[in-house]
Amino acid sequence: MSQINLPKLDKFYLLFGVVMLVSAFFVVFTFKSIFDAMRVSADIGAQFTEGELRIDKDKLDGAVKVAADKRVVQLEVR
């Protein structure tokens, strides 16, 4: 009977495999969370029709005007 002596795996490859698995799980979890949030936000926006939304046009225009007319403070670089 012949016995084949396989070389022992280096600890680097084991650690590398574990780190790759953990990072793959993290990436999948992150993208799943992002796309679930986008799906939920799209569902919330679809619940309301234009007639149900009560936006006071005057208040909205006033807020935009205040934001647009706000004085910008200039910084002095010395």
Side-chain angles (χ1 to χ4, degrees), residues 1-17:
M1 246 193 201
S2 66
Q3 291 182 341
I4 300 174
N5 291 335
L6 296 175
K8 187 176 176 185
L9 281 178
D10 194 14
K11 288 182 183 178
F12 168 77
Y13 295 112
L14 294 176
L15 183 62
F16 182 72

Side-chain angles (χ1 to χ4, degrees), residues 40-70:
V40 168
S41 67
D43 290 344
I44 290 173
Q47 289 177 356
F48 301 107
T49 62
E50 191 173 327
E52 292 176 343
L53 294 176
R54 292 188 176 92
I55 298 174
D56 190 359
K57 185 83 166 145
D58 295 331
K59 287 183 182 179
L60 182 61
D61 290 337
V64 170
K65 183 179 176 189
V66 167
D69 294 341
K70 189 173 183 179

Side-chain angles (χ1 to χ4, degrees), residues 19-48:
V19 168
M20 287 293 118
L21 285 174
V22 169
S23 61
F25 173 75
F26 179 71
V27 167
V28 168
F29 177 75
T30 302
F31 279 109
K32 182 184 175 298
S33 300
I34 290 170
F35 289 126
D36 283 345
M38 289 174 57
R39 182 183 50 82
V40 168
S41 67
D43 290 344
I44 290 173
Q47 289 177 356
F48 301 107

